[in-house]
Amino acid sequence: DTGVSQDPRHKITKRGQNVTFRCDPISEHNRLYWYRQTLGQGPEFLTYFQNEAQLEKSRLLSDRFSAERPKGSFSTLEIQRTEQGDSAMYLCASSRTAPSHNSPLHFGNGTRLTVT
Amino acid sequence: DQQVKQNSPSLSVQEGRISILNCDYTNSMFDYFLWYKKYPAEGPTFLISISSIKDKNEDGRFTVFLNKSAKHLSLHIVPSQPGDSAVYFCAASENSGGSNYKLTFGKGTLLTVNP
């Protein structure tokens, strides 16, 4: 169990630029989640994949955001035309089955995005 | 609309004493509750969970209590250790309502355990 890996750890970009983050889940986990955490808040759900299928998207995910999980392995989250309000920690998590005591969400260390 | 509320932003306790972290929720459809711990520059780490069919779950020094009628849960840490100093998040989901993939988190409570 090598844990959930996220890359990059930090990203500073100028407003209007596009950014892409990568998440590698724990290898046997078929469920993958993206959350966003802003200062002073708890993580907020963005989207969820079961294998390669994106099954749910939060209304927080505007049309500037797109997430993919080709082949049901790693996932990417792209933000187009970044805005200062996109500055946050983007957390990826994975689980073997639906979240439960025996299958909790395992989070990565996140990608901190700063939009200047 | 904050469906999971942690009304204490911070808590400070002495090493060896009990830490009690509280959480309230408003959505009566929530039936599965979790606590996560988060150190700076790291992602949240799962600590303990409880299903709504139980009122208590214990794992070592950590016990979670659920009071469904009051829509309240609490995490007890006994005895508290300096390494427990972290932000603790309460989270909930609707496991039997078809939304078992989505956790709703509170804002967190910063616990400081003083030596």
Side-chain angles (χ1 to χ4, degrees), chain A residues 91-112:
Chain A
L91 292 162
C92 178
S94 69
S95 66
R96 187 168 44 83
T97 61
S100 69
H101 183 75
N102 294 322
S103 179
L105 261 64
H106 294 261
F107 282 88
N109 288 333
T111 293
R112 179 166 296 285

Side-chain angles (χ1 to χ4, degrees), chain A residues 9 33 35 37 40-43 45 48 56 98-101 104-105 107-109, chain B residues 2 32 36 38 41-44 46 49 57 89 95 100-103 105-107:
Chain A
R9 290 295 308 274
Y33 315 80
Y35 281 77
Q37 184 178 13
Q41 303 293 319
F45 171 81
Y48 152 64
E56 183 68 22
S100 69
H101 183 75
L105 261 64
F107 282 88
N109 288 333
Chain B
Q2 196 80 15
Y32 179 60
Y36 275 81
K38 186 181 184 301
E42 294 184 10
F46 171 72
S49 65
N57 189 25
F89 290 102
N95 269 21
N100 59 5
Y101 54 84
K102 175 184 172 181
L103 295 182
F105 284 83
K107 291 185 177 183

Side-chain angles (χ1 to χ4, degrees), chain B residues 14-30:
Chain B
Q14 284 299 120
E15 180 179 6
R17 306 295 289 267
I18 185 171
S19 296
I20 300 176
L21 296 103
N22 293 304
C23 177
D24 297 291
Y25 61 96
T26 58
N27 186 345
S28 57
M29 298 300 292
F30 286 149

Side-chain angles (χ1 to χ4, degrees), chain B residues 17-115:
Chain B
R17 306 295 289 267
I18 185 171
S19 296
I20 300 176
L21 296 103
N22 293 304
C23 177
D24 297 291
Y25 61 96
T26 58
N27 186 345
S28 57
M29 298 300 292
F30 286 149
D31 56 7
Y32 179 60
F33 305 90
L34 312 89
W35 286 93
Y36 275 81
K37 178 170 74 172
K38 186 181 184 301
Y39 293 118
E42 294 184 10
T45 303
F46 171 72
L47 199 55
I48 192 169
S49 65
I50 188 166
S51 164
S52 61
I53 61 173
K54 293 186 171 183
D55 54 19
K56 176 183 174 181
N57 189 25
E58 190 172 352
D59 184 359
R61 296 185 298 113
F62 303 92
T63 303
V64 56
F65 295 91
L66 175 63
N67 182 334
K68 282 196 302 181
S69 60
K71 294 191 177 69
H72 177 84
L73 62 155
S74 60
L75 175 68
H76 293 211
I77 307 174
V78 181
S80 301
Q81 299 172 354
D84 296 329
S85 297
V87 176
Y88 287 78
F89 290 102
C90 173
S93 70
E94 300 177 33
N95 269 21
S96 52
S99 300
N100 59 5
Y101 54 84
K102 175 184 172 181
L103 295 182
T104 301
F105 284 83
K107 291 185 177 183
T109 296
L110 173 62
L111 172 66
T112 303
V113 180
N114 301 303

